[in-house]
Structures are given as C-alpha cells and as structure tokens.
Amino acid sequence: MVGGGSAGCVLAARLSDDPARHVLLVEAGEDPATPAPIGRLPLGPTSTVATSYEVELTEGRSAFVPRGSAVGGSGAVNGAYFVRATDADFARWPAAWSADAVLPYFRRVERDLDFTGPRHGADGPVTVRRVAGDAAGAVTRSFADAARAAGWPAEPDKNAGGAGGVGPVPLNVDGDRRASTAHAYLDPARGRANLEIRTHTRVDRVVFRGDTVVGVDVVDGTEAGHGARQTVRASTVVLCAGAFETPCVLLRSGLGPADELTALSIPVTNDLPGVGRGFTDHPELLVPYAFDTGAHAESFSPARALLEACANTPEFELRPYTAPFARSIEGLESIGGGVAAGLGLGVALMRTDSTGTLALDSADPTVPPRVRYGYLRTAHDRACAAAALDAAHDVLAAWRGVRFDPIRAGGAAPLPLELLGTSQHMCGSARMGGVGDPGAVVDERCAVRGVRGLFVADASAIPVAPSRGPHATVVMLAERAAEFVSSLSA
Ligand SMILES: Cc1cc2nc3c(=O)[nH]c(=O)nc-3n(C[C@H](O)[C@H](O)[C@H](O)COP(=O)(O)OP(=O)(O)OC[C@H]3O[C@@H](n4cnc5c(N)ncnc54)[C@H](O)[C@@H]3O)c2cc1C
C-alpha cells in the first residue's frame, strides 16, 4: 500500500484480514499520536500532519491547497463532513459502479447513529452522526431558519437519496473524536503480525519487470535514514497517495502521457494520456458576513464541527461555517480573499464542466507538481456561480441579525473572483473508466491499464467529483477496491 490516508487505511485493514497475506503500508508522513479536535483543522504553517501545494485556481488567481500528509491522510485533518455521493452522481461512473451496486459498500462503511433502514449502515467501522435542533450552534440554527424562510425545503437525511434541501450534514465523528479511517479501520488492525506500517517513507516509483509490478523504490525520510533509497519487493502495489501524489507516482513510474514523460527523460512503461489530466474539484466562493451582536459566538468551539448543516441543490452547496477559518486553522492568515478572520458563507459549485491538469516539472520526487484547476472556464460554470451567489444572497437577506455586502452576480456583474478558493475535494487525477474511454487510467476494478499488479484506489480514481463532499465516497471506493485487489492478487 502506498499512502496511509483515507483510502490507504481502509485497504491496509481489509487486505490484512487475511493472515496469509503480508501487507506493508508505506506512508510518507508521521503516525500522529492524538487526533485533532473536531473543530480544529491542523493545516497551518507549522503543521506536521499536513502539507500544502501552490496551485493556479484560475488564470490570475493562485492559492495554497493543503493535504493531509500523515497516517489518516486528508481524512484526519478535514472538516468531518461525511455525506455520500448522490445516486445521480453514479450515472457518470462506469456501469459496474451504479447507485445500486455501491449501496452495500456505503452501508458497510458506516455505523449511522441517527437513521436506520435499507439505505443506512448499522455496524460499520465509521461512526456517523448529525448535530441537529438545539444541539447545533447558533450559526447553524439561524442559517437553517434563514434558508427555510428563503424557500429551501428541509432535508433531514442527506443520505436518503433526495434531491437536496437544507439540513444537518452527516459527520464522521465518534464521541468527541474525528472518526478518520486511521481511527476506524487501521487502529483495530494494528496488532496484526501480517501488517507492517512504515512511516516517514516516500514511494518514488513503481518498479516493473516488463509489464509486471515487482516492487517500489522508496526514500527513507527519517533522520537516521539520510534519504537512503531502497527497492521494496512486492507482487501487488496499491496506490493510495491521494489525488495530488498518486498521479505523480504513476508519472515517475513511466505511466502517463508519453510526450510529457519523454520530455522529462522518464522511460515510458505505458502511454496513459489521462494521468493528471481532467481532474475535477469544487470551486468555493467564501462570502463574508457578520452578525449584529455576539450571540453566535458560542458556535466557535474546538468541539464543534466547522460545518454542521448545509443547503444543497444538485449544482451547488451553501456552507454556513460555524467559525472563522482563522479560529479553526492555527497560523492561518488568509484564505478566499482574506476573509479568514471573520465568518464566511461558503458557496460551492458541485457539478462543474471545467477540469484541471496536474503535471510534473521534474522526475525528482521532492519537486511538487504543477497544478492548474481551470476553475470557471466554461459559460456553464460561470452561470452556475452567478445562480449560486444569487441563492446565497437570498439566504443572507433572510438571515436575522446578519450584515453583508450585496453580492448579486447575475446579469452583467463580474464574478467576485477575489472570493474564489477551492473545497479541497480533488478527484479524478487518475480516473476510472470503461473500455474505449481514452482518458481512463484504471479499469472498473481499479487496476491500472496495460500493466499487471498495480491498482489505484483513492480519490484519484473517482471518475468525476461527486456533487457532495468526496470523503464518504473515497472510503466506499476503498472498501470495494479491497475486494477487487483481494480477488485479482489471490
Ligand atoms: C483541508 C481539507 C478539508 C476537507 N474537508 C472535507 C470534508 O469535510 N468532507 C469531505 O467529504 N471531504 C473533505 N475533504 C476531502 C477528503 O478529505 C479527501 O477527498 C480524502 O481524504 C482523500 O482521501 P485519499 O485517500 O484519496 O487521500 P489522502 O487522505 O490525502 O491520503 C494520501 C496519503 O498518502 C500519503 N502519501 C502521498 N504521497 C506519498 C508517497 N509518495 N509515498 C507514501 N505516502 C504518500 C500522504 O501523506 C497521505 O497520508 C477535505 C480535504 C482537505 C485537504
């Protein structure tokens, strides 16, 4: 296993269920002793569990995008909003991943404390709960009132397969802890004799004999290791290094667009034009607002999730963050145009046409990739952004005690690009696709095309970012991929 993040922890646990199989989990970062409180995102400049990439969001607008870089991965540092992709989202996946086909895996993942029935799981590793009614903070409660006053229907269960509305978000929270997959899947498996976890070790590339995987080249990142390189032998390799790093490992292994590889003097193992190309994410405009009084301040608590409710349509999502980002992220000075110090309503586009590209500038694994999101490039996406901002305006106008600068973007008004950020939901940088799809990097069983013994089973493989946050879908994909890897490598 390459990468011990959201997906990697699931695969490591599921594959080591079989005592006859030796599983080595190689993680570039550390193994944190204690998880961060739910309301704190340990992403600031001094974080030892996250790293950040400089990216271009759209022409003329750059940003630093964080990713988890320790055991637990991005799922150990994220907002803990754990909602599934909608049934309609799976119409954009290969047929083997229909909404009916994936439902048992979504159920297998979760222990839903609020809802039962055929769409919900009762005894999975990840505890899922919602904060509703009086238990929610003042920001959440008053936002929900405003949304209903602005005409939004109530949606008490966002995993029920409905069309959207305003309601509590499912959270992967167990007691007062974030139920990351490190906690929910890996911790119970840690004592196994057949599971080895090697931290502070970065995989540079996959090693092949002909078209068959024989291992990985790793770089020892410990102080004692002095960056020593070593080849670790393995007959099966599963890439779970996340949507930024999995395509980098593929490219350094000679799997990617042949012209790009040749330009970097990387020998071509297989020409896969889709590696790093056509990824998707959710642009987010963070609209600043303020309350007239301090009555909402009780919402700011490290024990409270940063997002307790949201309002969805199939196209966009309104996110009433419970605290200013500067309070949740230590050392953060600015995000989305410098509004980190105050409250912001996130206005995220959940179904975009624009896609991005990720490419290497060097075969050196310490050089970060060049990432261009290409946000808001199409007329469809700009129209969606204008409609979403209009809807946000209506909710803000109905929100009692709230002040904000008018943000209507309809008509000829330019979009307020100074508010543009990203939801950090990158998917599809090494995407899954059916036979005949030239951009497909992996097949319907997550196996990399044209080689033997190599799989991609993380957010990179998701064909297109779902119209909800991706975390629950990444974990579902990892659950199912473990079955494929198990049967294909038996
Ligand atoms: C700040 C933030 C907030 C988010 N909030 C939410 C949210 O509230 N809800 C939601 O649905 N989604 C959210 N997301 C997205 C979600 O967390 C991710 O989609 C998901 O965690 C991705 O899982 P993954 O397994 O693909 O990658 P990751 O969890 O990122 O794991 C990748 C792992 O691989 C390791 N690695 C990388 N390269 C190498 C290498 N070469 N060798 C060895 N190891 C390597 C990394 O250190 C990391 O541990 C958020 C993401 C971020 C960054």
Side-chain angles (χ1 to χ4, degrees):
M1 306 293 321
V2 178
S6 298
C9 289
V10 176
L11 270 293
R14 289 301 188 209
L15 292 174
S16 63
D17 277 342
D18 176 357
R21 181 183 290 117
H22 180 81
V23 177
L24 170 64
L25 176 62
V26 181
E27 164 55 45
E30 66 183 47
D31 196 355
T34 40
I38 305 154
R40 289 265 184 267
L41 275 57
L43 308 169
T46 57
S47 174
T48 57
V49 293
T51 188
S52 77
Y53 297 82
E54 188 169 10
V55 305
E56 182 192 88
L57 295 176
T58 193
E59 226 177 289
R61 182 145 175 85
S62 298
F64 283 94
V65 174
R67 308 298 298 173
S69 59
V71 171
S74 301
V77 300
N78 74 7
Y81 145 73
F82 200 75
V83 66
R84 299 174 188 173
T86 64
D87 289 359
D89 289 328
F90 290 101
R92 303 165 98 193
W93 291 52
W97 293 78
S98 67
D100 285 347
V102 300
L103 181 58
Y105 297 91
F106 273 128
R107 296 186 65 203
R108 187 182 296 178
V109 167
E110 69 180 18
R111 182 169 76 99
D112 192 319
L113 300 185
D114 303 315
F115 292 98
T116 55
R119 287 190 69 89
H120 296 285
D123 49 16
V126 178
T127 303
V128 171
R129 66 176 173 83
R130 297 151 191 80
V131 181
D134 288 346
V139 170
T140 306
R141 292 195 308 270
S142 56
F143 167 80
D145 289 345
R148 281 192 295 269
W152 285 77
E155 189 183 42
D157 176 7
K158 290 196 172 287
N159 286 338
V166 60
V169 296
L171 297 166
N172 54 312
V173 170
D174 189 1
D176 59 357
R177 297 177 63 164
R178 192 185 264 109
S180 72
T181 56
H183 165 62
Y185 281 83
L186 193 64
D187 282 354
R190 277 179 191 269
R192 294 175 180 168
N194 64 331
L195 173 61
E196 189 188 339
I197 302 170
R198 199 179 295 180
T199 56
H200 300 287
T201 305
R202 179 169 293 277
V203 170
D204 175 6
R205 54 189 281 273
V206 183
V207 183
F208 294 91
R209 187 178 303 127
D211 64 359
T212 303
V213 166
V214 291
V216 287
D217 278 349
V218 302
V219 182
D220 188 336
T222 60
E223 251 176 61
H226 300 298
R229 298 179 76 89
Q230 186 197 356
T231 300
V232 178
R233 299 276 152 204
S235 56
T236 302
V237 171
V238 187
L239 299 182
C240 294
F244 276 74
E245 292 293 341
T246 284
C248 297
V249 177
L250 287 168
L251 291 165
R252 292 195 296 266
S253 309
L255 297 161
D259 52 342
E260 273 181 44
L261 299 175
T262 306
L264 292 168
S265 305
I266 299 173
V268 179
T269 308
N270 190 26
D271 180 14
L272 289 172
V275 176
R277 293 183 182 171
F279 74 76
T280 41
D281 198 326
H282 300 136
E284 178 171 20
L285 296 138
L286 193 63
V287 177
Y289 70 92
F291 282 94
D292 286 334
T293 71
H296 60 285
E298 52 90 2
S299 283
F300 306 171
S301 156
R304 189 174 286 292
L306 196 54
L307 190 65
E308 294 176 324
C310 69
N312 295 99
T313 71
E315 300 279 345
F316 64 84
E317 186 166 275
L318 304 184
R319 304 178 181 152
Y321 293 111
T322 57
F325 283 1
R327 282 199 173 234
S328 306
I329 305 173
E330 212 167 288
L332 183 80
E333 278 164 12
S334 89
I335 193 167
V339 295
L343 281 164
L345 178 65
V347 180
L349 306 189
M350 305 306 282
R351 223 170 213 267
T352 58
D353 288 348
S354 307
T355 60
T357 56
L358 178 153
L360 292 184
D361 279 328
S362 162
D364 178 344
T366 61
V367 176
R370 192 171 4 101
V371 184
R372 294 200 173 103
Y373 279 72
Y375 276 162
L376 303 174
R377 260 201 326 230
T378 65
H380 166 270
D381 291 357
R382 289 192 296 276
C384 271
L389 286 168
D390 279 355
H393 177 104
D394 291 345
V395 172
L396 284 161
W399 201 337
R400 287 182 60 182
V402 154
R403 279 176 283 117
F404 69 104
D405 288 334
I407 47 153
R408 272 192 191 280
L415 290 170
L417 287 187
E418 67 282 6
L419 305 181
L420 181 65
T422 174
S423 306
Q424 298 138 15
H425 291 170
M426 187 195 281
C427 291
S429 48
R431 64 181 178 80
M432 183 193 300
V435 179
D437 175 349
V441 175
V442 301
D443 67 15
E444 298 181 355
R445 297 166 135 210
C446 301
V448 176
R449 290 192 179 282
V451 294
R452 292 164 208 258
L454 182 62
F455 297 83
V456 171
D458 61 10
S460 324
I462 290 181
V464 60
S467 62
R468 303 290 185 264
H471 195 205
T473 305
V474 171
V475 179
M476 176 282 291
L477 179 142
E479 271 280 4
R480 192 163 188 216
E483 285 188 356
F484 293 138
V485 175
S486 222
S487 66
L488 293 172
S489 61

Coordinates of all heavy atoms in Angstrom, one line a residue, residues 340-408:
A340 N -10.5 35.2 6.3 CA -10.3 34.1 7.3 C -10.7 34.6 8.7 O -11.1 33.8 9.5 CB -8.9 33.6 7.2
A341 N -10.5 35.9 8.9 CA -10.7 36.4 10.3 C -12.1 36.5 10.7 O -12.5 36.4 11.9 CB -10.0 37.8 10.4
G342 N -13.0 36.6 9.7 CA -14.4 36.7 10.0 C -15.2 35.5 9.5 O -14.7 34.6 9.0
L343 N -16.5 35.6 9.8 CA -17.4 34.5 9.3 C -17.6 34.5 7.8 O -17.6 35.6 7.2 CB -18.8 34.6 10.0 CG -18.8 34.0 11.4 CD1 -20.0 34.5 12.2 CD2 -18.7 32.5 11.4
G344 N -17.7 33.4 7.2 CA -18.0 33.3 5.8 C -19.0 32.3 5.4 O -19.1 31.2 6.1
L345 N -19.8 32.5 4.4 CA -20.8 31.5 3.9 C -20.1 31.0 2.6 O -19.9 31.7 1.7 CB -22.1 32.2 3.5 CG -23.2 31.3 2.9 CD1 -23.6 30.2 3.9 CD2 -24.4 32.1 2.5
G346 N -19.8 29.7 2.7 CA -19.2 29.0 1.5 C -20.3 28.8 0.5 O -21.3 28.3 0.7
V347 N -19.9 29.2 -0.8 CA -20.8 29.0 -1.9 C -20.1 28.1 -2.9 O -19.2 28.6 -3.6 CB -21.2 30.3 -2.5 CG1 -22.2 30.1 -3.7 CG2 -21.9 31.2 -1.5
A348 N -20.3 26.8 -2.9 CA -19.5 25.9 -3.6 C -20.3 25.3 -4.8 O -21.5 25.0 -4.8 CB -19.1 24.7 -2.7
L349 N -19.5 25.2 -6.0 CA -20.1 24.6 -7.2 C -19.8 23.2 -7.2 O -18.7 22.8 -7.1 CB -19.5 25.3 -8.4 CG -19.6 26.8 -8.5 CD1 -19.2 27.3 -9.8 CD2 -21.0 27.3 -8.1
M350 N -20.9 22.3 -7.3 CA -20.7 20.9 -7.1 C -20.8 20.1 -8.3 O -20.6 18.9 -8.3 CB -21.8 20.4 -6.1 CG -21.8 21.2 -4.8 SD -20.2 21.2 -3.9 CE -20.2 19.6 -3.2
R351 N -21.0 20.7 -9.5 CA -21.1 19.9 -10.7 C -20.6 20.8 -11.8 O -21.4 21.5 -12.5 CB -22.6 19.6 -11.0 CG -22.7 18.2 -11.5 CD -24.2 17.9 -11.5 NE -24.4 16.5 -11.2 CZ -24.6 15.5 -12.1 NH1 -24.5 15.8 -13.3 NH2 -24.8 14.3 -11.7
T352 N -19.3 20.8 -12.0 CA -18.7 21.8 -13.0 C -18.3 21.1 -14.3 O -18.1 19.9 -14.3 CB -17.5 22.4 -12.3 OG1 -16.6 21.4 -12.0 CG2 -17.8 23.3 -11.1
D353 N -18.2 21.9 -15.3 CA -17.6 21.4 -16.6 C -16.1 21.5 -16.6 O -15.4 20.8 -17.3 CB -18.1 22.2 -17.7 CG -19.6 22.0 -18.0 OD1 -20.1 21.0 -17.5 OD2 -20.2 22.8 -18.8
S354 N -15.6 22.6 -16.0 CA -14.2 22.9 -16.1 C -13.4 21.8 -15.4 O -13.8 21.3 -14.3 CB -13.9 24.2 -15.3 OG -14.7 25.2 -15.8
T355 N -12.3 21.4 -16.0 CA -11.4 20.4 -15.4 C -10.0 20.9 -15.4 O -9.7 21.9 -16.0 CB -11.4 19.1 -16.3 OG1 -10.9 19.5 -17.6 CG2 -12.8 18.5 -16.4
G356 N -9.2 20.3 -14.6 CA -7.8 20.8 -14.3 C -6.7 19.8 -14.8 O -7.0 18.7 -15.3
T357 N -5.5 20.3 -14.7 CA -4.4 19.4 -15.1 C -3.3 19.5 -14.0 O -3.1 20.5 -13.4 CB -3.7 19.9 -16.4 OG1 -3.3 21.2 -16.3 CG2 -4.6 19.8 -17.6
L358 N -2.6 18.3 -13.9 CA -1.5 18.2 -12.9 C -0.4 17.5 -13.7 O -0.6 16.5 -14.4 CB -2.0 17.3 -11.8 CG -1.0 17.0 -10.7 CD1 -1.7 16.7 -9.4 CD2 -0.1 15.7 -11.0
A359 N 0.8 18.2 -13.7 CA 1.9 17.6 -14.4 C 3.2 17.8 -13.6 O 3.3 18.6 -12.7 CB 2.0 18.4 -15.8
L360 N 4.2 17.0 -14.0 CA 5.5 17.1 -13.3 C 6.4 18.1 -14.0 O 6.3 18.2 -15.3 CB 6.2 15.7 -13.3 CG 5.6 14.6 -12.4 CD1 6.5 13.4 -12.5 CD2 5.4 15.1 -11.0
D361 N 7.2 18.8 -13.3 CA 8.3 19.6 -13.8 C 9.6 18.9 -13.8 O 10.6 19.3 -14.4 CB 8.4 20.9 -13.1 CG 7.3 21.9 -13.6 OD1 7.0 21.9 -14.7 OD2 6.9 22.7 -12.7
S362 N 9.6 17.8 -13.0 CA 10.9 17.1 -12.8 C 10.5 15.7 -12.3 O 9.5 15.4 -11.7 CB 11.7 17.8 -11.7 OG 12.7 17.0 -11.1
A363 N 11.5 14.8 -12.6 CA 11.3 13.4 -12.1 C 11.7 13.2 -10.7 O 11.6 12.2 -10.1 CB 12.1 12.4 -13.0
D364 N 12.2 14.3 -10.1 CA 12.7 14.3 -8.7 C 11.4 14.3 -7.8 O 10.6 15.2 -7.8 CB 13.5 15.6 -8.5 CG 14.0 15.7 -7.0 OD1 13.5 15.0 -6.1 OD2 14.9 16.6 -6.8
P365 N 11.3 13.3 -6.9 CA 10.1 13.2 -6.0 C 9.9 14.3 -5.0 O 8.8 14.5 -4.5 CB 10.2 11.8 -5.3 CG 11.7 11.5 -5.4 CD 12.2 12.2 -6.6
T366 N 11.0 15.1 -4.8 CA 10.8 16.2 -3.9 C 10.3 17.5 -4.6 O 10.0 18.5 -3.9 CB 12.2 16.6 -3.2 OG1 13.1 17.0 -4.2 CG2 12.7 15.4 -2.4
V367 N 10.2 17.5 -5.9 CA 9.7 18.7 -6.6 C 8.2 18.5 -6.7 O 7.7 17.5 -7.3 CB 10.4 18.8 -8.0 CG1 9.8 20.0 -8.8 CG2 11.9 18.9 -7.8
P368 N 7.4 19.5 -6.2 CA 5.9 19.4 -6.3 C 5.4 19.5 -7.7 O 6.1 20.1 -8.6 CB 5.4 20.6 -5.4 CG 6.6 21.5 -5.3 CD 7.8 20.8 -5.6
P369 N 4.2 18.9 -8.0 CA 3.7 19.0 -9.3 C 3.1 20.4 -9.6 O 2.9 21.2 -8.7 CB 2.5 18.0 -9.2 CG 2.1 18.0 -7.8 CD 3.4 18.2 -7.0
R370 N 3.0 20.7 -10.9 CA 2.3 21.9 -11.3 C 0.8 21.7 -11.5 O 0.5 20.7 -12.2 CB 2.9 22.3 -12.7 CG 2.7 23.7 -13.2 CD 3.5 24.0 -14.4 NE 4.3 23.0 -15.0 CZ 4.0 22.2 -16.0 NH1 2.9 22.4 -16.7 NH2 4.8 21.3 -16.5
V371 N 0.0 22.4 -10.8 CA -1.4 22.1 -10.7 C -2.2 23.3 -11.2 O -2.1 24.4 -10.6 CB -1.9 21.7 -9.3 CG1 -3.3 21.3 -9.3 CG2 -1.0 20.5 -8.8
R372 N -3.1 23.1 -12.2 CA -3.9 24.1 -12.7 C -5.4 23.6 -12.7 O -5.7 22.7 -13.3 CB -3.6 24.5 -14.2 CG -2.2 25.1 -14.3 CD -2.1 25.9 -15.6 NE -0.9 26.6 -15.7 CZ 0.2 26.2 -16.4 NH1 0.1 25.2 -17.2 NH2 1.3 27.0 -16.4
Y373 N -6.2 24.3 -11.9 CA -7.6 23.9 -11.7 C -8.5 24.2 -12.9 O -9.5 23.6 -13.1 CB -8.2 24.4 -10.4 CG -7.8 23.7 -9.2 CD1 -6.5 23.8 -8.7 CD2 -8.7 22.9 -8.5 CE1 -6.1 23.1 -7.5 CE2 -8.4 22.2 -7.3 CZ -7.1 22.3 -6.9 OH -6.7 21.6 -5.7
G374 N -8.2 25.3 -13.5 CA -9.0 25.8 -14.6 C -10.4 26.1 -14.2 O -11.4 26.0 -15.0
Y375 N -10.6 26.6 -13.0 CA -12.0 26.9 -12.5 C -12.7 28.0 -13.3 O -12.0 28.9 -13.8 CB -11.9 27.5 -11.1 CG -11.8 26.4 -10.0 CD1 -11.3 26.8 -8.7 CD2 -12.2 25.1 -10.2 CE1 -11.3 25.8 -7.7 CE2 -12.1 24.2 -9.1 CZ -11.7 24.5 -7.9 OH -11.6 23.6 -6.9
L376 N -14.0 27.8 -13.4 CA -14.9 28.8 -14.0 C -14.5 29.2 -15.5 O -14.7 30.3 -15.9 CB -14.9 30.1 -13.2 CG -15.3 29.9 -11.7 CD1 -15.1 31.2 -10.9 CD2 -16.7 29.4 -11.6
R377 N -13.9 28.2 -16.2 CA -13.5 28.4 -17.6 C -14.7 28.4 -18.5 O -14.7 29.0 -19.5 CB -12.5 27.4 -18.0 CG -11.1 27.8 -17.9 CD -10.2 27.0 -18.8 NE -10.7 25.6 -18.8 CZ -9.9 24.6 -18.6 NH1 -8.6 24.7 -18.4 NH2 -10.4 23.3 -18.7
T378 N -15.8 27.7 -18.1 CA -16.9 27.5 -19.1 C -18.0 28.4 -18.8 O -18.2 28.8 -17.6 CB -17.4 26.0 -19.1 OG1 -18.0 25.8 -17.8 CG2 -16.3 25.0 -19.3
A379 N -18.9 28.7 -19.8 CA -20.1 29.5 -19.6 C -21.0 28.8 -18.6 O -21.6 29.5 -17.7 CB -20.8 29.7 -20.9
H380 N -21.1 27.5 -18.6 CA -21.9 26.8 -17.7 C -21.5 27.0 -16.3 O -22.3 27.3 -15.4 CB -21.9 25.3 -18.0 CG -22.5 24.4 -16.9 ND1 -21.7 23.9 -15.9 CD2 -23.7 24.0 -16.7 CE1 -22.4 23.2 -15.0 NE2 -23.7 23.2 -15.5
D381 N -20.2 26.9 -16.0 CA -19.7 27.1 -14.6 C -19.9 28.5 -14.1 O -20.3 28.8 -13.0 CB -18.3 26.7 -14.5 CG -18.1 25.2 -14.7 OD1 -19.1 24.5 -14.8 OD2 -17.0 24.7 -14.7
R382 N -19.7 29.5 -15.0 CA -19.9 30.9 -14.6 C -21.4 31.2 -14.3 O -21.7 31.9 -13.4 CB -19.3 31.8 -15.7 CG -17.8 31.8 -15.7 CD -17.2 33.0 -16.6 NE -17.6 32.9 -18.0 CZ -17.0 32.1 -18.9 NH1 -15.9 31.4 -18.6 NH2 -17.4 32.1 -20.1
A383 N -22.3 30.6 -15.2 CA -23.7 30.8 -14.9 C -24.1 30.1 -13.6 O -24.9 30.7 -12.8 CB -24.5 30.2 -16.1
C384 N -23.5 29.0 -13.3 CA -23.8 28.3 -12.0 C -23.4 29.1 -10.9 O -24.0 29.2 -9.8 CB -23.1 27.0 -12.0 SG -24.0 25.6 -12.6
A385 N -22.2 29.7 -11.0 CA -21.6 30.5 -9.9 C -22.5 31.7 -9.7 O -22.8 32.1 -8.5 CB -20.2 31.0 -10.3
A386 N -23.0 32.3 -10.7 CA -23.9 33.5 -10.6 C -25.2 33.1 -9.9 O -25.7 33.8 -9.0 CB -24.2 34.1 -12.0
A387 N -25.8 31.9 -10.3 CA -27.0 31.4 -9.7 C -26.8 31.1 -8.2 O -27.7 31.4 -7.4 CB -27.5 30.2 -10.5
A388 N -25.7 30.5 -7.9 CA -25.4 30.1 -6.5 C -25.2 31.3 -5.7 O -25.7 31.4 -4.5 CB -24.1 29.2 -6.5
L389 N -24.5 32.4 -6.2 CA -24.4 33.6 -5.5 C -25.7 34.3 -5.2 O -26.0 34.9 -4.2 CB -23.4 34.5 -6.2 CG -21.9 34.1 -6.1 CD1 -21.1 34.9 -7.0 CD2 -21.4 34.3 -4.6
D390 N -26.6 34.2 -6.2 CA -27.9 34.8 -6.1 C -28.7 34.1 -4.9 O -29.3 34.7 -4.1 CB -28.8 34.6 -7.4 CG -28.4 35.7 -8.4 OD1 -27.6 36.6 -8.0 OD2 -28.9 35.7 -9.5
A391 N -28.6 32.7 -4.9 CA -29.3 32.0 -3.9 C -28.7 32.3 -2.5 O -29.4 32.4 -1.5 CB -29.1 30.5 -4.2
A392 N -27.3 32.5 -2.5 CA -26.7 32.8 -1.2 C -27.2 34.2 -0.7 O -27.4 34.4 0.5 CB -25.2 32.9 -1.4
H393 N -27.3 35.1 -1.7 CA -27.8 36.5 -1.4 C -29.2 36.4 -0.7 O -29.4 37.0 0.3 CB -27.8 37.3 -2.6 CG -28.4 38.7 -2.4 ND1 -27.6 39.8 -2.4 CD2 -29.7 39.1 -2.2 CE1 -28.3 40.9 -2.2 NE2 -29.6 40.5 -2.1
D394 N -30.0 35.5 -1.3 CA -31.4 35.4 -0.8 C -31.4 34.9 0.7 O -32.2 35.4 1.5 CB -32.2 34.5 -1.7 CG -32.5 35.2 -3.0 OD1 -32.3 36.4 -3.2 OD2 -32.9 34.4 -4.0
V395 N -30.5 33.9 0.9 CA -30.5 33.4 2.3 C -29.9 34.4 3.3 O -30.4 34.6 4.4 CB -29.6 32.1 2.3 CG1 -29.4 31.6 3.8 CG2 -30.3 31.0 1.5
L396 N -28.8 35.1 2.8 CA -28.2 36.1 3.7 C -29.2 37.2 4.0 O -29.3 37.7 5.1 CB -26.9 36.7 3.0 CG -25.7 35.8 3.1 CD1 -24.7 36.2 2.0 CD2 -25.1 35.8 4.5
A397 N -30.0 37.6 3.0 CA -31.0 38.6 3.2 C -32.1 38.2 4.1 O -32.7 39.0 4.9 CB -31.6 39.0 1.8
A398 N -32.4 36.9 4.2 CA -33.4 36.4 5.1 C -32.9 36.0 6.5 O -33.6 35.7 7.4 CB -34.0 35.1 4.5
W399 N -31.5 36.2 6.7 CA -30.9 35.7 7.9 C -30.9 36.8 8.9 O -30.4 37.9 8.7 CB -29.4 35.4 7.5 CG -28.7 34.5 8.5 CD1 -29.0 34.2 9.8 CD2 -27.5 33.7 8.1 NE1 -28.1 33.3 10.3 CE2 -27.2 33.0 9.3 CE3 -26.7 33.6 7.0 CZ2 -26.1 32.2 9.4 CZ3 -25.6 32.7 7.1 CH2 -25.3 32.0 8.2
R400 N -31.6 36.5 10.0 CA -31.8 37.6 11.0 C -30.5 38.0 11.7 O -29.7 37.2 12.1 CB -32.8 37.1 12.1 CG -34.2 37.1 11.5 CD -35.3 36.6 12.5 NE -35.3 37.5 13.6 CZ -36.1 37.4 14.7 NH1 -36.9 36.3 14.7 NH2 -36.1 38.2 15.7
G401 N -30.3 39.3 11.8 CA -29.2 39.8 12.6 C -27.9 39.8 11.8 O -26.8 40.0 12.4
V402 N -28.0 39.5 10.5 CA -26.8 39.4 9.7 C -26.6 40.6 8.8 O -27.5 41.1 8.1 CB -26.8 38.1 8.8 CG1 -26.0 38.2 7.6 CG2 -26.4 36.9 9.7
R403 N -25.3 41.1 8.7 CA -24.9 42.1 7.8 C -24.0 41.6 6.7 O -23.1 40.8 7.0 CB -24.1 43.2 8.5 CG -25.0 44.2 9.3 CD -24.1 45.2 10.0 NE -23.5 44.6 11.2 CZ -22.2 44.4 11.5 NH1 -21.3 44.7 10.6 NH2 -21.8 43.9 12.6
F404 N -24.2 42.0 5.5 CA -23.3 41.6 4.4 C -23.3 42.6 3.3 O -24.3 43.3 3.1 CB -23.7 40.2 3.9 CG -25.0 40.2 3.1 CD1 -25.0 40.1 1.7 CD2 -26.2 40.3 3.8 CE1 -26.2 40.1 1.0 CE2 -27.4 40.3 3.1 CZ -27.4 40.2 1.7
D405 N -22.2 42.6 2.5 CA -22.2 43.4 1.3 C -22.9 42.7 0.2 O -22.7 41.5 -0.1 CB -20.8 43.7 0.8 CG -20.1 44.7 1.8 OD1 -20.8 45.4 2.5 OD2 -18.8 44.6 1.9
P406 N -23.8 43.4 -0.6 CA -24.6 42.8 -1.6 C -23.6 42.0 -2.6 O -22.6 42.6 -2.9 CB -25.3 43.9 -2.3 CG -25.4 45.0 -1.3 CD -24.2 44.8 -0.4
I407 N -24.0 40.8 -3.0 CA -23.1 40.0 -3.8 C -23.7 39.5 -5.1 O -23.2 38.6 -5.7 CB -22.6 38.8 -3.0 CG1 -23.8 38.1 -2.3 CG2 -21.5 39.1 -2.0 CD1 -23.6 36.6 -2.1
R408 N -24.9 40.1 -5.4 CA -25.5 39.5 -6.6 C -24.6 39.6 -7.8 O -24.0 40.6 -8.1 CB -26.8 40.3 -6.9 CG -28.0 39.8 -6.2 CD -29.3 40.4 -6.7 NE -30.4 40.0 -5.8 CZ -31.0 38.8 -5.8 NH1 -30.6 37.9 -6.7 NH2 -32.0 38.6 -5.0

